[in-house]
Amino acid sequence: MKVDIDKKNQEKEILIDTSKMSKGQRDALELTESARDEVKEKDSFIGQLFMGKADFESIFPFPEPEPEKLAEGLPFLNKLKTFLEEHVDADEIDRTGEIPENVIKMLAEMGAFAIKVPKKYGGLGLCQTIYSRAAMLLGTHCGNLTALLSAHQSIGVPQPLLLFGTEEQKAKYLPRFSRGDISAFALTEAGVGSDPSKMETHAEPTEDGKHFLLNGEKLWCTNGTKAGVIIVMASTPPKRIKGKERKQVTAFIVETNSPGLEVKQRCYFMGLKALYNGVMSFKNVKIPIENIVLGEGKGLKVALSTLNTGRLTLPAACTGMTRECIRINKKWSNERRQWGNNIGKHAAIAEKISKMTAQLFAMESMVLLTSALVDRKEGDIRLEAAMCKMWGTEKAWNVVDETMQIRGGRGYETADSQKSRGEDPIPVERFMRDCRINTIFEGSSEIMRLFLAREALDPHLSIAGAALNSKLPPATRIQSVVKSALFYSIWYPKMWMPSTDRIPEVHKRLYAPLKYVSKTSRKLARTLFHAMVLNGPKLEKKQPLLARYVEIGTELFVITASVLRADSLIKRDREGSNHQELIDLVYYITKESKIEIGKRFEALNNNNDSESYKIAQGVLNGEYDALLKRI
Ligand SMILES: Cc1cc2nc3c(=O)[nH]c(=O)nc-3n(C[C@H](O)[C@H](O)[C@H](O)COP(=O)(O)OP(=O)(O)OC[C@H]3O[C@@H](n4cnc5c(N)ncnc54)[C@H](O)[C@@H]3O)c2cc1C
């Protein structure tokens, strides 16, 4: 194992020049880099897109899980839908800040705490696609239930155990979840949000080597106040690797009834009022070494890998909420008359409705495509999942905001208050409160952009990183220059030539959008390359610039997923309808994305980035304090 780590870190050191970074930056980067798995570009549709190749073949026809897997999941989805409609009062849960015990009990009885847990451990053994569809249903109804089930099995103990657990760990814990035991994921601390290198919770081995003693405090642990068992990331003694001291983070399974473990506080938020979220404190909590997941020092890898798939649940739930918003808007825009017409006939409102409908289709297509890739267990979905999370949660926030606008004053009013006047209680303000957190947790939008940018640049860093790294000996740099010259002399001219990507046999009206994706991926690749050459290691600091590349790539994924899904839906329909409505929607999505892409390309060279940074630093340094005086 040591050799493995040594080799990995050696490679990472060659990739990124950390010589001009502050210690804090270097620590954060080195730690996350050491936990990072290489995205194999050929295995990732998005990875290739950033290198100028649209490999549609790898995701055509629109990926679906095996029909038996889908059929197996349908009874559960139907049961869940009926249960949510008949037994869950989301407004009551929001009002009281508690999920009724019988709701939790009934969810446990239907296996909702072990959706992906294999049958041999008593779970439902369902696939990721069904799990994502369950999240869509939950998102339609109740943010609190979504958070309870998702924190438990998207990031809580079941997911890391399914990924990395030993047979003993699986046999011991997974059946508990099948019976309804709740779990949680504890990474965040007061000083550790997006940057785990400052982790203070630590675990020291006992003298006999059989246990670790855990000390510290974790913040905002969702389900922490209800969980029977949690997964805790803690720093463990550093190791010397290649002569350098390396921080270690280890993942421990911790029973919440362990002596020394205390829930110090239940935390309350703007929305998700019934979140069982707490501050967890650990004082000499004794954990057997068998409870380490994957191995000492592998905790960050456990956390990041868990989040890679786990964070798909949030955009899936956002899809459900978006669907519900459109249902609300459909009814309201048809019945509310102002200025002599239904408000849906006013173009300003109509525009909002079409935009959110297109976003629903795109969001759902991206989530289903990525979920099916998870089910196929082929390729690498990290970039797709990150794009789903980033784009889906941001668009869902726009949707709920516009829904509030369409509902006017009633959008801002609580459901209870509407009800007390005898009106339909429509909980848009609850949706808004519950939805806002989605762009913050499980990888904030900013961190998703950084993550995607890092991976987009990875092939270039692998080829040319050493040439740009001033820390490396001249011989290594020269070797890298030769290697890069060889590669780029072939690759770069290709990026200016007409694309040779094979466009799959989609419905004839859907060909043009894919052709556009293919052509634009070349422009994306060559302009990203230009940025790398022009900026060298400084590119890492130019976050708004990098974000534009990430957003262009994401819009290309939006078009691709929407086109392929529409094609699949059209082909599946044996009635032979012309599906004009789907084609219209896909054209609309493509045009919207093209507009967004056009803006980003334009802003690569025409932007306010340096002025913006200067002003922000001025504000932070007190240069604008006169403006900030209250009187
Ligand atoms: C309701 C709720 C539930 C939660 N549940 C859990 C849970 O179950 N388990 C758990 O471990 N944690 C949980 N969290 C924590 C959550 O994941 C963090 O809030 C999140 O990771 C962000 O960390 P932070 O709030 O400390 O923000 P910070 O990391 O301090 O970031 C502040 C801002 O700076 C931005 N930022 C940070 N670094 C960079 C950078 N390098 N470049 C550009 N921008 C940057 C961020 O995007 C953000 O906008 C929960 C939080 C909440 C509010």
Side-chain angles (χ1 to χ4, degrees), residues 151 155 184-195 218-224 231 233 267-269 271-272 275 277 307 437 439-448 450 540 543:
I155 57 173
F185 170 88
L187 172 66
T188 304
E189 298 176 9
V192 175
S194 311
D195 170 10
K218 291 289 179 183
L219 182 63
W220 297 330
C221 179
T222 300
N223 290 350
I231 185 142
M233 307 302 150
C267 305
Y268 294 92
F269 303 94
L272 298 180
L275 206 62
N277 182 295
L307 282 165
I437 186 63
T439 58
I440 298 173
F441 59 12
E442 296 187 23
S444 68
S445 280
E446 290 78 8
I447 297 299
M448 289 297 90
L450 289 188
E540 181 256 339
Q543 293 184 347

Side-chain angles (χ1 to χ4, degrees), residues 250-263:
T250 301
F252 294 95
I253 306 168
V254 183
E255 300 279 355
T256 54
N257 62 5
S258 308
L261 187 152
E262 187 196 344
V263 180

Side-chain angles (χ1 to χ4, degrees), residues 137-420:
L137 271 176
L138 287 158
T140 300
H141 282 266
C142 178
N144 288 298
L145 280 194
T146 311
L148 172 81
L149 291 171
S150 165
H152 158 69
Q153 58 200 316
S154 296
I155 57 173
V157 182
Q159 182 68 15
L161 283 197
L162 290 174
L163 287 174
F164 302 116
T166 61
E167 190 43 51
E168 291 72 32
Q169 289 170 336
K170 289 181 187 170
K172 181 169 176 190
Y173 290 102
L174 294 179
R176 276 171 61 172
F177 307 129
S178 305
R179 294 191 292 272
D181 205 356
I182 296 173
S183 74
F185 170 88
L187 172 66
T188 304
E189 298 176 9
V192 175
S194 311
D195 170 10
S197 67
K198 296 276 171 298
M199 192 170 288
E200 287 189 356
T201 299
H202 62 279
E204 297 289 330
T206 52
E207 269 180 19
D208 61 6
K210 291 186 179 157
H211 293 87
F212 272 79
L213 289 182
L214 180 67
N215 282 283
E217 198 167 280
K218 291 289 179 183
L219 182 63
W220 297 330
C221 179
T222 300
N223 290 350
T225 67
K226 273 242 183 271
V229 62
I230 62 181
I231 185 142
V232 180
M233 307 302 150
S235 70
T236 42
K239 285 192 177 156
R240 283 200 85 72
I241 295 168
K242 248 190 91 207
K244 270 193 180 174
E245 193 160 278
R246 301 283 182 187
K247 288 188 185 222
Q248 302 290 298
V249 174
T250 301
F252 294 95
I253 306 168
V254 183
E255 300 279 355
T256 54
N257 62 5
S258 308
L261 187 152
E262 187 196 344
V263 180
K264 277 181 76 178
Q265 181 202 335
R266 180 172 166 188
C267 305
Y268 294 92
F269 303 94
M270 160 187 175
L272 298 180
K273 295 288 185 192
L275 206 62
Y276 293 108
N277 182 295
V279 176
M280 317 288 287
S281 136
F282 310 94
K283 283 205 185 94
N284 289 326
V285 177
K286 204 169 174 186
I287 309 161
I289 54 163
E290 301 83 75
N291 283 22
I292 290 177
V293 182
L294 191 60
E296 202 181 325
K298 300 277 189 182
L300 205 55
K301 184 180 160 79
V302 171
L304 298 181
S305 308
T306 298
L307 282 165
N308 280 332
T309 316
R311 62 167 62 100
L312 262 179
T313 315
L314 293 183
C318 283
T319 302
M321 191 211 67
T322 298
R323 197 187 326 277
E324 196 56 20
C325 283
I326 299 174
R327 287 166 67 96
I328 291 167
N329 290 326
K330 179 184 166 205
K331 185 166 186 292
W332 182 241
S333 302
N334 271 324
E335 67 191 31
R336 177 70 172 171
R337 285 184 78 76
Q338 292 290 285
W339 297 76
N341 223 335
N342 297 340
I343 59 167
K345 295 281 182 204
H346 298 308
I349 299 297
E351 191 200 19
K352 297 182 200 300
I353 294 171
S354 51
K355 199 169 260 191
M356 59 179 78
T357 308
Q359 286 167 347
L360 169 64
F361 188 75
M363 213 183 280
E364 190 166 58
S365 303
M366 289 159 83
V367 170
L368 290 178
L369 188 155
T370 311
S371 302
L373 292 180
V374 174
D375 288 326
R376 275 189 190 175
K377 297 189 176 63
E378 281 168 15
D380 188 326
I381 56 86
R382 271 178 283 169
L383 307 190
E384 285 78 357
M387 284 184 172
C388 288
K389 156 66 165 89
M390 182 185 89
W391 196 88
T393 57
E394 289 178 3
K395 296 303 168 206
W397 174 248
N398 292 344
V399 167
V400 78
D401 186 32
E402 293 290 38
T403 302
M404 179 164 282
Q405 197 69 20
I406 294 176
R407 283 280 294 160
R410 287 166 179 81
Y412 193 65
E413 190 180 19
T414 65
D416 284 346
S417 175
Q418 295 166 54
K419 196 173 174 183
S420 62

